[in-house]
Amino acid sequence: MTVRVATLGFPRIGGRRELKKALESFWAGNSSEAELLQTAASLRKENWTRQKEQGADIIPSNDFSLYDHVLDTSALVGAVPDIYGHKGGKVDLTTYFAIARGRQVAGGEEAGDHAHDCSCHHHAATDVPAAEMTKWFDTNYHYLVPEFKEGQSFSLSSTKIIDEYREAKAQGIETRPVLLGPVSFLLLGKAHGAAFNKLDLLPGLLSVYTEVLRELRQAGAEWVQIDEPTLVLDLDDATRKAFALAYQSLTSAVPDIRLLLTTYFGGLADNLETALSLPVHGLHVDLVRAPHQLEDVVAKARPDLLLSLGVIDGRNIWKADLSRILKHIAPVAAKRDIIVAPSCSLLHTPIDLERETQLDAEVKNWLAFAVQKIAELATIAKALNEGHESVKAVLDASDAAAESRRTSTRIHNQDVKKRAAQKDAKLTQRQSAFPVRQKAQEEALRLPLFPTTTIGSFPQTKEVRQARARHAKKELSTQDYVAFLQKETASAIKWQEEVGLDVLVHGEFERNDMVQYFGEKLSGFVFTKHAWVQSYGSRYVRPPIIFGDVSRPAAMTLDWWQYAQSCSRKPVKGMLTGPVTILNWSFVRDDQPRSETCRQIAFAIRDEVQDLEKAGCPVIQIDEAALREGLPLRRKDWQHYLDWAVESFRVTASGVQDKTQIHTHMCYSEFNDIIQAIADMDADVISIETARSKMELLEAFTDHKYPAEIGPGVYDIHSPRVPSVEEMVELLRAAEKKVARRQLWVNPDCGLKTRNWKEVRPAITNMVKAAEILRG
């Protein structure tokens, strides 16, 4: 029996964030389309070569994307919403980036974002918003939501998947092209206009998929990886039948190409029979999220079905326990050919641990990034193919690292564990019910109807980033750095007063990231220099690594809030990141339940909330941008997660007086199915992202008769567009039909850190004017 190594996808961004720099240069008009595409080709070549060098036998192509692989699939099949003016034929870069980022027109020319020298610049110039964006399952990666209309037609509108297969082949590397499966593509999209069943579009979509498979086979591809991650979700019988229709159609239409059906982010469970009944040639299963499914899969899989076993965690950064994995899969490898692979695409991990030359040596010994994970897979395959003795030194080192992590005294703090184990009900209850608090807050704050605010951060300009970098390199003294940040903060406060905002923020110029900033001040965290992962488009983050018990040695935000409040008589918000978001946006230790780590973080944030209130802070925002993101993919597991997540938030917020107003903020989320949990958080004000959905997301709050106050975003900060006063008024009037005037706040969708002041100033000015019109 033979064991081979495969990867399902590799990070796209480049070890030095080459893709980010190339994209942003192109968008700014400083480089050409040809230069952007050359950078992309160089990154693909580097990725293919690197995976091969690390021991991968099966290497993916078409896992690379200039923005998002779901958007790539929309382009592939020509699913372009009408507002982008696509008239058929190839989807060019102008259209592609308009869907991703919107398009702003100024004086007959497209504003700087698209003012590049581009041969595809032939569209009629129109001002269009970006497509809706949401989280990719329960990860922090965002995808562009496909949009479908009744009777939607599809046509082959991009040859990217074929071109990149041929590109690799020309370099002497045989790849397995990756394609998002047709059923998952439809399920992950949304119906636009009249309600209809998206799966009714499947036959038309399959004709394009058939064409793609035929072209790949003609180009020489023998296998295609078709990702159907929705097979790990709760599905009804009609959806299961759609899978059967899809794969019977594809395999009968293109019988001479082999399909590997790829599932990840969970177990197949009640969809296992469906997956195994499909006439595909291989099946990938996630044995990290669902290790117990192996026995069932092997017992029920037909003998000729090639099994790909996802044994290395594609979503976390811990070294694998190689001996444990070998023990788990050796009986299977002894009886049939298998592939060993990461649980999912390595898109969700940093690229190379070796670049972390300053990382704590003990902790570094516990870690593996994408490059190292492929090497781990190669070790597993060699041990199974040639015997354990052939890799004894590597297995011994793996065992030693696992033992070191289990026994390290740096991980465990008994005082922290004892505090987090407290079960006193008062820890999670505000002094009074919301109506009593609302009255106390109205008297304390004296705000108008439709109070205006922002979510927290202001643009991190080149000057701010340079000052931070110079301070880190000790080229700028701490005294001078603080003076610079105070000047930026005072300037932001003054501008907010001038423009007429009601509740101000200090701008967060001292913060590198809303999670990293807090992690650097908490115990139990370590940080990297180069471990970037993609969040969306050119937006990358460096998640903190939680390796041990978490506590707060000292106040984290108090000085900056006090300085900002000293600059204004208007209320300035204290800005904190909530425990669930810190958890979900970090690489989390896997040696204890996530709920336990979250509760430890909650007590640390509670201490900060109480320090802010003692200092006189009237409004404290505790962002839980990622609360829904951590929701388990199976509904049966939801309540357990929501119980501990909501309880953790309440631990942070429940120690304050009635007059102290607690805000929270949530990013792209569907709220209907967890609205009771959101109400149970018992925040006084929640701000949410609703601009792209045209206030659709507010309907959950209407139906639930949500009792507290709501700030539905009226300004999409993920796009460079500056929305007009009229556009925001229209959104607010739509919101007014859904919730009471007294409940409504006016704010952007999210923080403004990634935008520039040229966009922010007019957008916020328009937002304040819109609120004034509503008051009138």
Side-chain angles (χ1 to χ4, degrees):
M1 300 296 113
T2 305
V3 180
R4 289 180 296 158
V5 172
T7 53
L8 308 184
F10 197 76
R12 310 153 177 164
I13 62 180
R16 290 168 173 78
R17 294 183 290 165
E18 292 92 336
L19 183 58
K20 175 185 180 71
K21 293 162 191 171
L23 282 168
E24 292 175 357
S25 172
F26 175 67
W27 292 333
N30 296 327
S31 59
S32 68
E33 178 179 341
E35 289 171 307
L36 172 63
L37 297 181
Q38 180 55 52
T39 298
S42 297
L43 288 172
R44 287 193 294 270
K45 182 176 183 179
E46 181 182 319
N47 288 351
W48 292 325
T49 304
R50 199 163 204 186
Q51 291 173 82
K52 189 174 182 179
E53 288 171 351
Q54 289 300 313
D57 304 303
I58 302 165
I59 296 167
S61 58
N62 198 46
D63 56 326
F64 181 87
S65 177
L66 286 174
Y67 204 94
D68 163 49
H69 58 275
V70 184
L71 176 57
D72 292 348
T73 311
S74 297
L76 174 74
V77 301
V80 178
D82 294 340
I83 62 167
Y84 300 105
H86 180 62
K87 303 300 183 187
K90 183 181 178 182
V91 175
D92 57 35
L93 276 191
T94 298
T95 304
Y96 181 88
F97 286 132
I99 299 169
R101 311 180 70 241
R103 184 167 56 221
Q104 181 88 48
V105 177
E109 294 285 338
E110 292 193 31
D113 208 61
H114 287 267
H116 45 70
D117 178 19
C118 176
S119 60
C120 56
H121 215 35
H122 59 266
H123 293 284
T126 50
D127 184 359
V128 292
E132 187 176 335
M133 187 161 61
T134 195
K135 297 292 174 72
W136 177 247
F137 295 82
D138 57 349
T139 73
N140 186 34
Y141 177 81
H142 303 63
Y143 74 92
L144 274 297
V145 180
E147 194 174 290
F148 308 119
K149 60 185 179 183
E150 194 169 14
Q152 172 97 35
S153 62
F154 301 100
S155 62
L156 183 59
S157 302
S158 165
T159 56
K160 174 182 180 293
I161 185 170
I162 300 126
D163 297 341
E164 291 182 9
Y165 171 77
R166 287 186 171 132
E167 184 183 318
K169 199 175 185 72
Q171 294 164 18
I173 298 176
E174 181 61 32
T175 60
R176 185 174 66 191
V178 181
L179 185 56
L180 178 60
V183 181
S184 291
F185 177 64
L186 290 173
L187 294 178
L188 292 168
K190 69 172 188 176
H192 182 70
F196 67 97
N197 184 352
K198 293 176 292 183
L199 291 175
D200 290 345
L201 302 176
L202 187 57
L205 183 62
L206 289 173
S207 65
V208 181
Y209 272 70
T210 298
E211 192 176 350
V212 170
L213 292 177
R214 282 179 177 152
E215 290 214 20
L216 284 169
R217 186 70 194 100
Q218 192 173 354
E222 296 184 5
W223 280 88
V224 173
Q225 172 186 322
I226 297 202
D227 289 359
E228 292 283 12
T230 54
L231 274 166
V232 306
L233 304 180
D234 294 315
L235 302 178
D236 57 23
D237 286 340
T239 305
R240 294 189 183 106
K241 285 177 183 173
F243 277 104
L245 165 68
Y247 288 91
Q248 284 162 7
S249 172
L250 292 176
T251 51
S252 61
V254 197
D256 54 344
I257 198 163
R258 286 178 280 187
L259 303 182
L260 177 86
L261 185 76
T262 314
T263 66
Y264 41 80
F265 300 154
L268 285 158
D270 54 346
N271 298 322
L272 177 60
E273 303 288 346
T274 297
L276 290 175
S277 71
L278 301 178
V280 294
H281 308 81
L283 175 67
H284 174 85
V285 291
D286 183 342
L287 297 184
V288 173
R289 281 283 182 94
H292 303 301
Q293 69 175 331
L294 179 62
E295 188 177 339
D296 243 7
V297 169
V298 172
K300 296 176 180 177
R302 62 181 197 268
D304 66 323
L305 185 70
L306 179 64
L307 294 182
S308 171
L309 307 182
V311 293
I312 297 286
D313 195 342
R315 292 183 51 173
N316 214 329
I317 42 66
W318 304 107
K319 260 184 186 172
D321 186 336
L322 299 180
S323 294
R324 183 185 56 78
I325 291 169
L326 286 166
K327 185 177 180 182
H328 189 205
I329 66 172
V332 183
K335 294 179 180 176
R336 62 194 301 160
D337 290 346
I338 62 168
I339 293 170
V340 291
S343 57
C344 60
S345 170
L346 294 170
L347 169 71
H348 309 287
T349 60
I351 296 174
D352 188 3
L353 182 63
E354 290 311 306
R355 292 206 66 207
E356 301 301 329
T357 55
Q358 298 175 45
L359 192 60
D360 176 281
E362 184 178 18
V363 176
K364 185 175 179 179
N365 188 42
W366 302 333
L367 307 180
F369 294 175
V371 168
Q372 288 72 39
K373 287 175 184 293
I374 300 171
E376 288 183 322
L377 289 166
T379 298
I380 291 168
K382 190 170 183 180
L384 293 170
N385 286 329
E386 301 176 22
H388 288 207
E389 283 299 315
S390 66
V391 286
K392 184 178 185 304
V394 182
L395 292 180
D396 288 348
S398 172
D399 291 345
E403 181 63 17
S404 162
R405 191 164 161 236
R406 273 192 293 270
T407 58
S408 172
T409 54
R410 297 176 60 189
I411 290 177
H412 305 287
N413 182 320
Q414 294 308 317
D415 290 339
V416 172
K417 291 183 191 298
K418 185 177 178 181
R419 188 184 186 199
Q422 293 179 77
K423 296 299 179 188
D424 186 346
K426 291 178 183 175
L427 287 167
T428 58
Q429 291 176 356
R430 294 287 294 271
Q431 289 178 351
S432 306
F434 174 71
V436 176
R437 303 198 310 262
Q438 187 178 41
K439 187 174 180 183
Q441 290 160 21
E442 285 174 349
E443 291 174 359
L445 294 169
R446 304 286 180 185
L447 298 173
L449 272 177
F450 300 101
T452 56
T453 189
T454 62
I455 302 303
S457 59
F458 277 132
Q460 293 259 326
T461 62
K462 182 180 179 182
E463 291 75 19
V464 170
R465 294 194 305 271
Q466 284 178 342
R468 182 181 301 125
R470 289 182 61 215
H471 180 246
K473 294 174 184 173
K474 297 186 167 52
E475 295 170 3
L476 185 67
S477 71
T478 297
Q479 183 179 352
D480 288 344
Y481 181 51
V482 169
F484 168 81
L485 293 173
Q486 286 180 338
K487 184 180 175 185
E488 292 290 315
T489 303
S491 175
I493 293 286
K494 183 182 178 186
W495 177 75
Q496 291 173 82
E497 287 186 323
E498 289 170 351
V499 83
L501 285 164
D502 299 305
V503 176
L504 315 185
V505 298
H506 77 287
E508 303 180 17
F509 303 108
E510 80 286 2
R511 302 186 189 183
N512 43 20
D513 175 84
M514 65 180 287
V515 172
Q516 182 175 345
Y517 177 80
F518 289 94
E520 286 176 346
K521 297 178 182 299
L522 296 167
S523 65
F525 285 74
V526 292
F527 294 85
T528 60
K529 295 286 185 186
H530 309 287
W532 298 97
V533 293
Q534 187 178 21
S535 177
Y536 65 88
S538 68
R539 173 78 169 125
Y540 310 152
V541 293
R542 275 182 303 156
I545 297 168
I546 306 176
F547 73 90
D549 290 332
V550 179
S551 61
R552 186 198 75 147
M556 302 180 286
T557 67
L558 190 58
D559 288 350
W560 282 111
W561 174 80
Q562 287 176 317
Y563 175 76
Q565 188 64 78
S566 75
C567 297
S568 179
R569 292 186 177 182
K570 285 190 170 185
V572 178
K573 284 194 279 193
M575 296 299 308
L576 305 173
T577 302
V580 184
T581 298
I582 290 176
L583 183 89
N584 284 334
W585 288 358
S586 298
F587 289 123
V588 184
R589 58 190 292 191
D590 57 1
D591 61 336
Q592 68 180 19
R594 290 171 68 88
S595 56
E596 191 171 326
T597 302
C598 193
R599 193 170 171 87
Q600 291 177 0
I601 302 168
F603 276 100
I605 301 298
R606 179 186 179 93
D607 292 343
E608 191 72 13
V609 169
Q610 292 183 329
D611 280 353
L612 283 166
E613 187 188 52
K614 283 175 195 167
C617 185
V619 181
I620 302 172
Q621 182 169 311
I622 308 167
D623 285 343
E624 283 297 14
L627 185 125
R628 198 187 198 286
E629 182 180 305
L631 197 66
L633 298 178
R634 294 287 188 151
R635 194 174 283 266
K636 68 179 176 57
D637 302 318
W638 282 14
Q639 198 57 52
H640 174 66
Y641 165 77
L642 290 170
D643 286 348
W644 63 254
V646 168
E647 183 178 66
S648 291
F649 178 84
R650 290 179 66 133
V651 165
T652 69
S654 293
V656 298
Q657 302 173 56
D658 288 346
K659 69 176 183 177
T660 300
Q661 191 172 69
I662 297 292
H663 289 225
T664 190
H665 168 69
M666 291 187 180
C667 286
Y668 290 113
S669 293
E670 296 292 340
F671 295 111
N672 301 53
D673 43 16
I674 62 164
I675 190 67
Q676 184 58 54
I678 293 170
D680 290 344
M681 290 169 72
D682 202 22
D684 301 308
V685 182
I686 180 173
S687 54
I688 58 174
E689 299 186 79
T690 53
R692 288 196 184 192
S693 73
K694 306 290 191 288
M695 296 290 160
E696 284 177 16
L697 293 177
L698 263 186
E699 288 171 9
F701 294 84
T702 310
D703 296 343
H704 185 75
K705 296 183 172 59
Y706 185 73
E709 298 176 12
I710 311 170
V714 296
Y715 161 29
D716 173 21
I717 67 87
H718 296 89
S719 167
R721 288 182 68 245
V722 175
S724 66
V725 175
E726 293 74 21
E727 188 178 325
M728 295 191 197
V729 167
E730 188 179 329
L731 287 171
L732 285 167
R733 293 207 192 282
E736 221 182 343
K737 292 174 184 174
K738 299 178 188 293
V739 294
R741 299 185 114 212
R742 186 184 178 193
Q743 284 179 277
L744 283 170
W745 284 65
V746 181
N747 47 258
D749 264 351
C750 203
L752 299 164
K753 172 185 172 182
T754 59
R755 301 266 53 98
N756 64 57
W757 280 109
K758 285 191 296 184
E759 300 157 1
V760 166
R761 286 193 179 97
I764 297 299
T765 301
N766 289 353
M767 188 185 84
V768 172
K769 287 178 182 173
E772 289 168 351
I773 289 169
L774 267 287
R775 291 169 194 156

